[in-house]
Amino acid sequence: GAVVSQHPSRVICKSGTSVKIECRSLDFQATTMFWYRQFPKQSLMLMATSNEGSKATYEQGVEKDKFLINHASLTLSTLTVTSAHPEDSSFYICSARWSRGSTEAFFGQGTRLTVV
Amino acid sequence: QKEVEQDPGPLSVPEGAIVSLNCTYSNSAFQYFMWYRQYSRKGPELLMYTYSSGNKEDGRFTAQVDKSSKYISLFIRDSQPSDSATYLCACSSGGSYIPTFGRGTSLIVHP
């Protein structure tokens, strides 16, 4: 399967600071990338969908000013958690697919964010 | 009611057992069905993907879809301790192709 690399795998930051998470498709061009949040023993909660070159589409209840998503190239999308608070602590996962008509999405390794 | 329902388990079985994992869904527009395996603190890995009703086999894994009852299954034959993980089902429609996930079933295969 295709490889999606997510970095960092783990980050600890102080309240009020911003954290950037990168998601790269290593061996294919990703026209669409998804960002998810996952709480312990819970399902993946879709936060936003981003298509290369256009603004991300956020799911209801997700603050776009707090979770900034950039998909500037076909191989890179970033999620920036701005002014992080302890309640933002979670497991964030990206996934990518190579065409809008593709049902197969490949996931990154996830990023464990802890805000102290 | 959630669109995709999945029993969180945990499901504990002895090595070598046949495992049956199941999901139900409510959206009749779903046409694509996936199973992902997620190890602890890792991203999900696509295991099986099927379109519409029917069976699909890949090694020890068999995915089954029954659209008439909105029921999907994953069978694992000759289960191994390395199969211990959380298994997530996902469904998507032909319109958005954006998957909706179940909450995952935790599987423990003990030696």
Side-chain angles (χ1 to χ4, degrees):
Chain A
V3 180
V4 176
S5 176
Q6 189 173 337
H7 179 79
S9 59
R10 192 178 298 181
V11 59
I12 301 173
C13 71
K14 292 184 178 180
S15 273
T17 62
S18 295
V19 173
K20 181 185 282 188
I21 302 169
E22 289 189 350
C23 180
R24 293 180 184 272
S25 55
L26 297 186
D27 52 1
F28 69 101
Q29 293 186 323
T31 56
T32 306
M33 286 189 173
F34 305 94
W35 287 96
Y36 294 88
R37 185 171 179 177
Q38 188 177 34
F39 294 101
K41 298 187 179 180
Q42 297 295 317
S43 184
L44 299 167
M45 184 191 80
L46 181 65
M47 298 174 67
T49 302
S50 80
N51 294 301
E52 185 266 339
S54 56
K55 289 185 178 180
T57 302
Y58 288 81
E59 295 299 302
Q60 193 172 11
V62 178
E63 298 175 61
K64 59 182 68 176
D65 293 331
K66 181 165 188 61
F67 299 100
L68 300 178
I69 292 171
N70 184 281
H71 190 167
S73 79
L74 283 170
T75 58
L76 174 65
S77 177
T78 60
L79 166 67
T80 301
V81 182
T82 62
S83 187
H85 289 282
E87 56 264 32
D88 298 326
S89 299
S90 191
F91 193 55
Y92 293 87
I93 313 175
C94 71
S95 76
R97 66 183 188 199
W98 53 65
S99 76
R100 298 186 190 198
S102 171
T103 56
E104 294 181 75
F106 301 93
F107 284 82
Q109 308 94 312
T111 297
R112 171 75 55 193
L113 170 64
T114 304
V115 184
V116 297
Chain B
Q1 180 192 10
K2 290 185 178 178
E3 279 196 298
V4 181
E5 297 273 7
Q6 187 175 9
D7 188 325
L11 177 62
S12 182
V13 301
E15 183 175 357
I18 296 174
V19 175
S20 173
L21 302 164
N22 309 292
C23 288
T24 58
Y25 64 93
S26 57
N27 188 342
S28 56
F30 288 149
Q31 295 179 293
Y32 301 91
F33 306 93
M34 287 75 69
W35 283 96
Y36 288 84
R37 177 175 60 196
Q38 185 177 23
Y39 292 111
S40 181
R41 301 180 185 181
K42 299 290 184 184
E45 168 195 9
L46 180 64
L47 275 180
M48 301 284 284
Y49 139 74
T50 52
Y51 169 71
S52 194
S53 285
N55 292 1
K56 186 173 184 178
E57 190 173 318
D58 184 1
R60 296 185 295 113
F61 298 90
T62 299
Q64 205 169 72
V65 176
D66 182 349
K67 289 190 72 180
S68 63
S69 56
K70 297 189 177 67
Y71 194 84
I72 59 176
S73 303
L74 177 71
F75 299 97
I76 307 174
R77 291 184 298 281
D78 187 25
S79 56
Q80 303 295 309
S82 58
D83 293 329
S84 299
T86 295
Y87 289 80
L88 297 140
C89 63
C91 311
S92 68
S93 67
S96 69
Y97 300 103
I98 297 175
T100 299
F101 286 86
R103 62 184 295 185
T105 298
S106 175
L107 171 66
I108 302 167
V109 181
H110 51 86

